[in-house]
Amino acid sequence: MNGFLNFIVSFATTPALLVGIIAMIGLILQKKPATAVIQGGVKTFAGFLVLTGGAGILVNSLTPFSAMFQHVFNAKGIVPSNEAVVALALVKFGTPAALIMLVGFLVNIILARVTRFKYIFLTGQAMLYVSTMSAVVLISAGLGNGWLTILLGGIFEGTLLTVTPALTQRYMRKMTGNDGVAMGHTGNMGYALSGWLGEKFGNKDPEKSTEKLNIPQNLGFLRDSTVSISLVMMVVYIVLALIAGPHFVEAKDMSAGTNYIVYAITQAGTFAAGFVVVLQGVRMILAEIIPAFQGIAQKLVPNSKPALDVPIVFPYAPNAVLIGFFVSFIVGIFSMLAMLGLHTTVIIPGVVGIFFCGGAAGVYGNSFGGVRGAVIGSFVNGLILAWGPLLIMPALGSFGAGAASTFADSDYIVSGGLLGLTGKAGSAALIALIIGFLIVVLILNTVLNARDRAKIK
């Protein structure tokens, strides 16, 4: 049983395998020839590996950045990191987390089938992270680790991962120019807010897009995203390395003796290389998964859309990614300094999370609001990333109090914080919240369908 459970969890948390198999199923349902099925499945599988490989390069290049940053500011506190906190939590909550994830995926498919929210959430690691958060919060609230926690956690996760992609879909259509793919990430609430703020307070002139910045002709080479990202990150890395000093940077556990300026330049170039790899992986996935998904849409879940991981939006506005990252990071620094002054728990900016979530917030803010929208949207999203972890930490009970890390993205902060707050009122209140959440989604589906029918008449 444990071996089978381990196989299911490993399969579901390996996005490349999961999406490759789903692409093959879609092509089979369209009665494509075997060669096309194999080709589509393998290319989707390889595309995801390219994407995750690029993301790994980005993370590896940001690790020394984070270390230099903490050294420069001499700050000690909580570092928001989904990967770190989940790794710690799975030691104690692994079994209920795995079963919650399985139930949650089934609930997602059922809701996508019977409601207008046709989103199949395919980001395996995010599914595991949400199930782990649900297990920690529900068990910490006193529900125990039995079947009730697994069922309620699965209902909560499946409902959450079905409806949050809908929050961002309007902006996804604007960015991509079609309605074929959705955002499957745990920052969706923050991205939707960023897009809304960009639309309300940004610049609606298409020429004000971050991708149409007025660059002088003799600096036209900066329009190449690889060049601009490399140069900008070189400046940032070199400045940080100069402040940190050669003694720290050239230590054995960092550059291992390589000159600190050379090391900074190399890490900046590595970051840009990782970004290029991510973009190539995204192109490969989109070229295969959207046509393959038509088969699933036609047979299993009509009109369904794959909800994919956050780098899926990066190719549409690379400049906005950089703007969103830097704005969110600066907000994180000033927020950390404010926490030091207020003598609260100090949230140290998690550079990796800020890059992915802040960068995506910039893309969403830019979609309707141009440069101004990207700045405003990522600024507010940066505040959520900086201060939000203070809200979810109490919900994690004794586990949260003893961990040096916590959940980072907006969806964890809002949903986990709400679960934890409700749990203080007792198990009955928590059960009512989760069942009520599902009922509200079903009622909303009915109301929106009735509205659409009235418009047709």
Side-chain angles (χ1 to χ4, degrees):
M1 179 63 182
N2 287 336
F4 177 73
L5 182 61
N6 179 59
F7 172 79
I8 294 295
V9 172
S10 298
F11 191 95
T13 54
T14 304
L17 277 174
L18 183 65
V19 178
I21 292 296
I22 289 174
M24 293 180 73
I25 291 172
L27 293 168
I28 290 170
L29 290 173
Q30 293 181 71
K31 299 181 180 179
K32 296 289 185 180
T35 53
V37 172
I38 294 171
Q39 178 180 321
V42 170
K43 290 183 73 173
T44 304
F45 171 72
F48 248 96
L49 291 178
V50 171
L51 186 152
T52 54
I57 295 172
L58 288 172
V59 169
N60 288 336
S61 68
L62 288 171
T63 299
F65 183 99
S66 180
M68 286 189 285
F69 171 81
Q70 291 192 44
H71 175 73
V72 167
F73 284 92
N74 192 29
K76 295 185 183 298
I78 304 296
V79 180
S81 169
N82 301 323
E83 293 77 11
V85 72
V86 167
L88 293 171
L90 286 177
V91 175
K92 184 177 181 181
F93 304 96
T95 299
L99 293 173
I100 286 173
M101 184 182 69
L102 179 59
V103 174
F105 188 57
L106 294 175
V107 171
N108 175 208
I109 293 174
I110 293 169
L111 287 176
R113 169 73 184 182
V114 302
T115 72
R116 64 188 287 128
F117 305 114
K118 306 294 184 183
Y119 307 101
I120 308 296
F121 200 97
L122 296 176
T123 307
Q125 71 273 19
M127 293 162 58
L128 177 62
Y129 298 168
V130 173
S131 67
T132 303
M133 180 202 72
S134 302
V136 174
V137 174
L138 294 178
I139 292 171
S140 298
L143 283 181
N145 59 359
W147 68 268
L148 183 60
T149 290
I150 293 166
L151 179 60
L152 289 174
I155 291 172
F156 177 76
E157 176 175 10
T159 307
L160 183 73
L161 299 186
T162 302
V163 298
T164 52
L167 299 176
T168 64
Q169 194 59 20
R170 181 167 184 268
Y171 308 104
M172 287 294 289
R173 285 194 293 268
K174 173 69 173 177
M175 279 183 267
T176 64
N178 61 69
D179 200 27
V181 67
M183 172 58 71
H185 193 245
T186 45
N188 277 344
M189 296 181 191
Y191 306 150
L193 178 60
S194 180
W196 182 82
L197 290 169
E199 185 175 8
K200 294 298 180 183
F201 304 106
N203 193 310
K204 295 178 174 57
D205 183 354
E207 295 303 313
K208 298 296 183 181
S209 167
T210 57
E211 309 315 296
K212 295 185 178 181
L213 290 172
N214 188 18
I215 299 174
Q217 190 170 1
N218 60 345
L219 296 177
F221 64 92
L222 292 176
R223 295 186 184 278
D224 186 312
S225 60
T226 305
V227 175
S228 59
I229 289 171
S230 297
L231 293 178
V232 170
M233 295 306 289
M234 279 181 191
V235 172
V236 174
Y237 272 81
I238 289 172
V239 169
L240 200 54
L242 286 170
I243 299 173
H247 179 72
F248 178 80
V249 178
E250 294 174 10
K252 182 178 180 181
D253 57 350
M254 190 167 285
S255 77
T258 301
N259 179 270
Y260 70 122
I261 300 299
V262 173
Y263 181 73
I265 293 172
T266 303
Q267 291 303 311
T270 302
F271 179 93
F275 202 86
V276 171
V277 174
V278 165
L279 300 189
Q280 178 60 30
V282 169
R283 295 187 187 102
M284 289 179 66
I285 294 167
L286 292 181
E288 301 298 329
I289 193 68
I290 293 177
F293 227 75
Q294 292 173 355
I296 295 175
Q298 292 167 3
K299 301 290 185 180
L300 300 180
V301 185
N303 303 314
S304 60
K305 302 174 184 64
L308 303 175
D309 204 357
V310 64
I312 211 78
V313 301
F314 289 176
Y316 298 103
N319 292 341
V321 174
L322 273 183
I323 291 172
F325 168 51
F326 283 117
V327 170
S328 296
F329 185 59
I330 291 168
V331 169
I333 292 174
F334 281 103
S335 296
M336 180 191 71
L337 296 175
M339 292 173 196
L340 288 169
L342 294 171
H343 303 291
T344 66
T345 299
V346 177
I347 303 298
I348 299 173
V351 178
V352 174
I354 286 177
F355 170 72
F356 287 105
C357 292
V363 177
Y364 276 89
N366 173 69
S367 62
F368 281 98
V371 175
R372 190 195 306 163
V375 171
I376 294 172
S378 54
F379 177 85
V380 174
N381 191 68
L383 290 174
I384 295 172
L385 297 177
W387 295 90
L390 294 175
L391 301 178
I392 192 174
M393 286 175 62
L396 303 179
S398 58
F399 170 78
S405 186
T406 189
F407 291 96
D409 307 344
S410 61
D411 293 7
Y412 301 117
I413 290 165
V414 175
S415 62
L418 183 59
L419 280 178
L421 185 63
T422 305
K424 294 182 183 299
S427 299
L430 202 52
I431 294 170
L433 174 68
I434 293 173
I435 300 302
F437 179 33
L438 175 61
I439 292 172
V440 166
V441 169
L442 295 175
I443 292 174
L444 180 62
N445 172 72
T446 302
V447 170
L448 292 176
N449 285 341
R451 183 199 65 180
D452 291 346
R453 287 193 295 270
K455 285 183 179 180
I456 294 174
K457 294 178 180 179

